[in-house]
């Protein structure tokens, strides 16, 4: 098991070295002369767009998860209500005691 | 024999007392007193390593009263490793807090010192009633620390933590009372001897009550609700302590009681396994949809505790080693991530990921540390999380390949939400004027040290595996009883 673990480590080290090399090449190739100010402006549908308008709300990457059928009910039972939180604990106690009595 | 690491308990209690005295004269000296106390405690913990390193446990009796009449203090590789871990995270927390906490420092540091005293007490006690006492000490200190910001959400979270925490300790006390009624003893080794020939249903009831009480501290699903609001509302260095240590202290107590007192029955393994599976999946899925950085990390803590429980619940020696190794790794990773979150919140004044997009002018040390934490949490090779998760995958593969596959999928989900947070905070499009980040030295030290430990254990995993093997040896009931001389 130790040999397999170390093999994975060395493989990862080699991959990390390749990625680092590619990144250096990418960074070096990105250096280009500065664009004139007019060319640096961004237009959307004929009008100039501000950086704020071009933003994708990154904090909402996985917002579709909120529509996913499992996480909706799960989120409702994690809403911060103390009674719901205590219900979780009591449900756990009931499961443990039932298992203990039946399987001991 | 004197067990040096136990002196951490009086050292932290004395630190709390001295802090209050010093604050009467000059408040600005308080962090120095707290850091000195933490350094002394780290020294005591390190001194105990040679005492237990051959794998031999050490016990001592208070005031020369022999067991089971006197109070037993116990140390083996498991408890000393945890004592060292607590000492390191405690020192980092004291250092980090010196620039994070600017007002009412004496109360903050005194409560923090009592919290650590309780933790050291739990890992050293050989007595079930003192286990309850030390757990109560750390719980009461944590109620005060969560309420420390004194705003609406902190007070609400603290009251919830108090009610649910009290429920947990009450169940634990009921279980201890049952045990005392059955055996007439509170000494763990003595109880183990007396319970060995007993098959009364009352034993099962007492074990169930203790398991539930300690499960609430560990934060396993369905007891995870204790931690969610507390981690989010507490000052971030306190969240780091709660996430990195309190859950592990609960798990340690579960393992110690289950293995030593009850010889880890099959039903307890099954409970740990299935609660662990649910924790692992639920924690990761719910972390994915969070928009608050601290709450996301709180759910990730639930998921990582699930990994440990699954590994131990497999019931194999490889699984036990993997679980104990991941316990150490998880503490370092969660500590690092919460300290990074603390630095982010300190400068951006918010933990809301939607508002954090591009809110900070990227600081290389902060962004690298956060990335290291995320990659380690997801179990990417060359970081400590990979080594322990690899052992967990291997142990799961031996028992049930579907479990191993599920663990890999959960790790992938962990990477997804971790990278989401990283990309939002450190490469997000700015929504307004970005804040210039200049980390003070007191914030840099914990980030560098914890990140370095994560990489060192990741690159040299055999060190961690060796320590985990020794830790697993500490759960042998026979050697425990022999050492306490019952």
């Amino acid at each position: 098991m130790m040999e397999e673990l170390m093999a994975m480590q060395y493989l990862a080290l080699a991959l990390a070295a390749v990625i680092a090399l590619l990144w250096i090449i990418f960074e070096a190739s990105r250096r280009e002369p500065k664009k004139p100010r007019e060319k640096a402006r961004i237009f959307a549908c004929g009008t100039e767009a501000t950086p704020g308008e071009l933003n994708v709300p990154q904090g909402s990457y996985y917002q579709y998860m909120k529509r996913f059928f499992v996480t909706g009910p799960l989120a409702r039972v994690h809403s911060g209500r103390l009674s719901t939180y205590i219900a979780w604990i009591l449900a756990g106690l009931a499961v443990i005691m039932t298992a203990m009595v039946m399987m001991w | 024999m004197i067990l040096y690491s136990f002196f951490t308990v009086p050292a932290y209690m004395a630190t709390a007392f001295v802090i209050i005295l010093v604050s009467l004269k000059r408040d600005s000296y308080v962090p120095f007193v707290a850091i000195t106390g933490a350094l002394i405690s780290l020294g005591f913990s390190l001194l105990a390593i040679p005492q237990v390193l051959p794998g031999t446990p050490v016990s001592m009796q208070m005031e020369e009263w022999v067991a089971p009449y006197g109070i037993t203090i116990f140390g083996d590789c498991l408890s000393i490793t945890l004592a060292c871990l607590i000492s390191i995270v405690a020192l980092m927390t004291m250092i980090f807090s010196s620039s994070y906490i600017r007002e009412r420092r004496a109360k903050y540091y005194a409560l923090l010192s009592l919290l650590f005293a309780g933790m050291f007490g739990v890992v050293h006690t050989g007595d079930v009633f003192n286990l309850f006492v030390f757990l109560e000490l750390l719980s009461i200190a944590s109620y005060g620390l969560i309420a420390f910001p004194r705003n609406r959400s902190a007070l609400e979270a603290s009251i919830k933590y108090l009610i649910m925490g009290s429920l947990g300790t009450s169940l634990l006390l009921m279980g201890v009372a049952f045990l005392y009624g059955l055996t007439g003893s509170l000494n763990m080794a003595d109880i183990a001897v007396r319970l060995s020939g007993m098959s009364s249903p009352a034993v099962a009831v007492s074990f169930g009550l203790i398991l539930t009480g300690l499960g609430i501290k560990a934060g396993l699903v369905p007891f995870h609700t204790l931690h969610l609001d507390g981690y989010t509302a507490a000052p971030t260095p306190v969240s780091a302590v709660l996430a990195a240590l309190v859950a592990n202290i609960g798990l340690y107590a579960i393992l110690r009681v289950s293995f030593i007192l009850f010889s880890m029955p099959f039903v307890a393994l099954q409970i740990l396994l299935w609660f662990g599976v649910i924790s692992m999946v639920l924690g990761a899925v719910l972390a994915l949809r969070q928009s608050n950085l601290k709450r996301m990390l709180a759910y990730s803590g639930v998921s990582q505790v699930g990994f440990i429980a699954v590994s131990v619940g497999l019931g194999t020696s490889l699984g036990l080693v993997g679980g104990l190794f991941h316990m150490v790794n998880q503490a370092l990773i969660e500590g690092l991530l919460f300290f990074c979150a603390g630095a982010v919140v300190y400068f951006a004044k918010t933990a809301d990921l939607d508002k954090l997009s591009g809110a900070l002018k990227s600081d290389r040390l902060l962004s690298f540390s956060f990335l290291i934490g995320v990659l380690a949490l997801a179990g990417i090779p060359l970081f400590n999380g990979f080594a322990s998760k690899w052992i967990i995958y291997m142990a799961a593969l031996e028992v049930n390949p579907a479990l191993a596959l599920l663990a890999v999928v959960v790790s992938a989900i962990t990477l997804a939400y971790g990278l989401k947070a990283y990309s939002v905070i450190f490469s997000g499009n700015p929504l307004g004027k970005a804040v210039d980040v200049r980390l003070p030295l007191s914030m840099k030290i914990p980030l560098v040290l914890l990140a370095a430990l994560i990489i060192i254990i990741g690159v040299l995993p055999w060190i961690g595996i060796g320590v985990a093997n020794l830790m697993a040896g500490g759960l042998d009931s026979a050697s425990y009883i022999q050492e306490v001389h019952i």
Side-chain angles (χ1 to χ4, degrees):
Chain A
M1 189 203 63
M2 199 60 159
E3 290 79 22
E4 291 162 358
L5 177 64
M6 290 318 295
M8 287 295 286
Q9 297 275 52
Y10 291 135
L11 188 66
L13 200 60
L15 265 174
V18 171
I19 290 169
L21 186 69
L22 289 174
W23 183 73
I24 291 166
I25 295 167
F26 172 70
E27 281 293 316
S29 66
R30 233 166 38 142
R31 286 188 188 160
E32 51 185 59
K34 258 191 172 177
K35 284 179 184 172
R37 204 172 166 186
E38 191 60 31
K39 279 193 176 176
R41 291 163 68 190
I42 306 159
F43 290 88
C45 302
T47 55
E48 193 180 349
T50 60
E53 287 169 333
L54 292 170
N55 259 347
V56 177
Q58 289 168 311
S60 317
Y61 269 171
Y62 305 114
Q63 287 306 297
Y64 66 89
M65 287 294 292
K66 289 188 175 171
R67 293 195 292 273
F68 193 51
F69 71 100
V70 181
T71 62
L74 277 179
R76 274 197 288 281
V77 289
H78 289 89
S79 59
R81 288 182 71 174
L82 183 61
S83 53
T84 320
Y85 282 1
I86 290 176
W88 272 97
I89 292 173
L90 294 179
L93 174 66
V95 170
I96 287 181
M97 295 314 277
T98 310
M100 283 288 168
V101 171
M102 290 179 76
M103 294 170 72
W104 190 260
Chain B
M1 192 181 207
I2 293 170
L3 181 63
Y4 296 117
S5 58
F6 181 69
F7 291 111
T8 49
V9 179
Y12 266 111
M13 284 184 173
T15 305
F17 183 68
V18 174
I19 281 169
I20 298 296
L21 286 183
V22 166
S23 72
L24 298 174
K25 195 79 181 163
R26 197 158 180 180
D27 199 50
S28 58
Y29 290 161
V30 165
F32 296 106
V33 176
I35 291 168
T36 309
L39 276 170
I40 292 169
S41 299
L42 178 63
F44 281 132
S45 300
L46 294 176
L47 274 177
I49 294 175
Q51 291 185 295
V52 296
L53 202 55
T56 47
V58 175
S59 71
M60 64 181 206
Q61 298 297 129
M62 300 295 276
E63 297 291 332
E64 305 292 323
W65 283 81
V66 292
Y69 306 107
I71 294 172
T72 303
I73 305 301
F74 188 83
D76 54 17
C77 286
L78 176 60
S79 49
I80 302 304
T81 307
L82 281 178
C84 291
L85 195 65
I86 297 167
S87 298
I88 291 168
V89 176
L91 180 62
M92 296 302 114
T93 309
M94 297 294 194
I95 295 172
F96 191 91
S97 301
S98 63
S99 51
Y100 194 93
I101 302 293
R102 292 279 175 199
E103 54 180 16
R104 293 176 287 128
R105 283 169 153 178
K107 285 175 190 165
Y108 174 83
Y109 281 105
L111 283 170
L112 208 53
S113 300
L114 290 177
L115 179 76
F116 292 129
M119 285 183 190
F120 283 112
V122 171
V123 298
H124 284 106
T125 186
D127 184 300
V128 278
F129 187 73
N130 283 326
L131 178 73
F132 160 76
V133 171
F134 284 122
L135 272 176
E136 200 61 348
L137 175 65
L138 83 86
S139 302
I140 290 168
S142 54
Y143 305 147
L145 284 166
I146 291 170
F148 188 77
R150 290 205 291 202
N151 54 36
R152 190 187 157 87
S153 62
L155 292 173
E156 186 188 325
S158 177
I159 289 170
K160 281 183 202 166
Y161 202 84
L162 186 149
I163 293 170
M164 287 186 281
S166 304
L167 186 62
T169 41
S170 305
L171 291 171
L172 174 64
L173 187 61
M174 279 166 68
V176 170
F178 261 95
L179 273 184
Y180 186 67
L182 284 165
T183 61
S185 180
L186 292 168
N187 186 291
M188 284 192 197
D190 194 33
I191 293 172
V193 171
R194 288 170 192 240
L195 281 181
S196 58
M198 217 179 269
S199 60
S200 159
V203 180
V205 172
S206 71
F207 187 33
L209 289 169
I210 292 173
L211 202 57
T212 310
L214 296 175
I216 292 173
K217 291 284 168 225
L220 274 173
V221 173
F223 309 120
H224 61 297
T225 50
L226 173 73
H227 299 294
L228 301 177
D229 293 13
Y231 288 8
T232 313
T236 316
V238 175
S239 307
V241 174
L242 296 177
L245 298 177
V246 173
N248 281 335
I249 290 293
L251 273 174
Y252 162 83
I254 288 177
L255 295 182
R256 186 63 95 192
V257 168
S258 305
F259 276 96
I260 303 296
L261 268 60
F262 301 96
S263 307
M264 199 43 139
F266 176 71
V267 58
L269 287 175
Q270 288 297 302
I271 289 170
L272 275 179
L273 181 69
W274 290 109
F275 280 9
V277 168
I278 300 168
S279 304
M280 199 169 72
V281 177
L282 195 79
V285 169
L286 286 172
L288 201 58
R289 57 171 286 157
Q290 298 308 312
S291 55
N292 182 298
L293 177 61
K294 287 170 75 179
R295 205 167 174 84
M296 189 194 86
L297 293 177
Y299 277 110
S300 86
V302 172
S303 183
Q304 298 311 309
V305 167
F307 270 97
I308 301 167
V310 165
S311 191
V312 174
L314 291 169
T316 60
S317 54
L318 188 62
L320 185 60
V321 169
L324 292 172
F325 189 17
H326 199 59
M327 191 189 272
V328 175
N329 289 341
Q330 184 258 358
L332 297 174
I333 299 167
E334 288 283 335
L336 176 66
L337 284 173
F338 266 104
F339 284 137
C340 289
V344 168
V345 172
Y346 180 77
F347 286 103
K349 311 286 178 215
T350 179
D352 190 340
L353 285 172
D354 289 327
K355 292 177 187 163
L356 275 173
S357 178
L360 302 175
K361 275 185 190 163
S362 185
D363 177 88
R364 277 193 183 169
L365 176 64
L366 183 59
S367 65
F368 265 119
S369 305
F370 195 87
L371 188 62
I372 287 169
V374 165
L375 296 178
L377 193 71
I380 301 296
L382 300 180
F383 299 98
N384 64 349
F386 169 72
S388 50
K389 281 191 173 177
W390 176 267
I391 299 175
I392 294 173
Y393 302 151
M394 290 295 122
L397 210 57
E398 280 178 4
V399 176
N400 186 348
L403 265 181
L405 184 66
L406 187 67
V408 173
V409 171
V410 171
S411 291
I413 298 174
T414 307
L415 187 65
Y417 66 71
L419 287 181
K420 164 194 153 179
Y422 176 80
S423 68
V424 169
I425 300 165
F426 299 106
S427 61
N429 296 321
L431 299 170
K433 199 178 174 210
V435 179
D436 200 11
V437 176
R438 284 204 181 125
L439 286 181
L441 186 64
S442 58
M443 286 189 180
K444 282 180 184 169
I445 293 169
L447 299 188
V448 170
L449 269 172
L450 289 176
L453 278 174
I454 286 171
I455 293 171
I456 290 168
I457 299 174
V459 176
L460 309 168
W462 55 86
I463 297 173
I465 295 170
V467 172
N469 265 315
L470 288 170
M471 287 166 80
L475 294 170
D476 178 32
S477 185
S479 63
Y480 184 93
I481 294 166
Q482 195 184 3
E483 175 55 34
V484 183
H485 307 296
I486 294 294

